[in-house]
Amino acid sequence: SKDVLIVDDEVAIREVVGAILEDEGYRPRGAGNSTDALKEIERRRPGLVLLDIWLEGSQLDGVQILERVKALYPDLPVIMFSGHGTIETAVAAIKKGAYDFIEKPFKSDRLLLAVERALEATRLRRELQELKQIAFDEAELIGSSPASTLRSMYRVCVMATRPSKALRMPPMSTITPANVHHPDRICM
């Protein structure tokens, strides 16, 4: 979704970031505090949240909002930004689920690249999960020999990963009987 929620206590920042995103075809909307941000997300889930760490006059700061958002919507990408952040703050935000951290002032190219990457990564993750589910639902295992099981697992992995060139299949020779019960070792 091209819907991007910008959460910053400074109206000017929301307007500038919104204009940059709008010029690139995104549909920005804004919130100035934690209460408004959480209401906006509940009202209409955005494709991405750009979230300032320090929100003056807000009940929650950006990191606390991030924790709530990730608890309710774990797949919703959040990019944190701040003019007062430290390396420790950025690391803490990433560990709590932020996709990226951008320092203010930032160049529009840096912002747009982070937004594009976050949305693309989220889209690919969702597509892969859907395809894996379809492939495993439709996969029919025939026979009980290790060879037929390996071939079936390989076929399921190929079906699940074919749509994205970003995901690469391992060669058939890397699939061993020890990996049969661990598709995560084979498919990714």
Side-chain angles (χ1 to χ4, degrees):
S1 168
K2 292 248 183 188
D3 181 20
V4 178
L5 179 62
I6 305 161
V7 183
D8 196 302
D9 58 313
E10 296 181 46
V11 174
I13 298 289
R14 291 194 310 263
E15 289 175 352
V16 168
V17 171
I20 292 168
L21 293 172
E22 202 165 41
D23 285 349
E24 296 299 319
Y26 294 97
R27 293 182 307 278
R29 52 191 167 114
N33 58 52
S34 59
T35 304
D36 292 346
L38 294 171
K39 281 181 185 174
E40 278 295 312
I41 293 169
E42 186 177 325
R43 181 178 68 81
R44 187 176 77 234
R45 184 176 168 192
L48 173 80
V49 177
L50 290 171
L51 179 57
D52 190 13
I53 288 186
W54 309 116
L55 298 169
E56 190 174 321
S58 180
Q59 186 178 6
L60 304 173
D61 67 24
V63 175
Q64 292 168 318
I65 296 171
L66 172 66
E67 290 171 339
R68 290 241 181 122
V69 168
K70 286 299 176 179
L72 296 170
Y73 309 100
D75 296 333
L76 178 58
V78 178
I79 296 175
M80 305 296 289
F81 60 97
S82 180
H84 310 288
T86 63
I87 296 294
E88 291 80 20
T89 307
V91 169
I94 299 294
K95 284 183 177 180
K96 292 182 182 201
Y99 179 82
D100 202 349
F101 181 91
I102 302 174
E103 284 186 280
K104 289 184 200 174
F106 48 80
K107 295 184 178 186
S108 60
D109 290 346
R110 168 73 171 103
L111 172 70
L112 292 171
L113 182 62
V115 167
E116 289 168 14
R117 284 184 175 171
L119 290 172
E120 179 68 4
T122 302
R123 185 189 67 74
L124 287 172
R125 221 177 283 114
R126 184 178 28 227
E127 183 179 291
L128 180 61
Q129 287 304 102
E130 290 170 0
L131 289 170
K132 280 183 177 180
Q133 187 62 48
I134 290 168
F136 282 106
D137 288 347
E138 293 179 2
E140 180 182 336
L141 297 179
I142 301 171
S144 59
S145 71
S148 72
T149 303
L150 287 173
R151 278 193 299 277
S152 297
M153 286 299 295
Y154 190 76
R155 190 171 59 244
V156 167
C157 290
V158 169
M159 289 171 49
T161 58
R162 185 173 289 144
S164 171
K165 292 179 183 175
L167 301 171
R168 300 189 328 189
M169 277 303 301
M172 183 65 180
S173 61
T174 63
I175 301 175
T176 65
N179 290 338
V180 170
H181 301 292
H182 301 281
D184 56 314
R185 293 183 192 166
I186 301 170
C187 294
M188 293 203 222

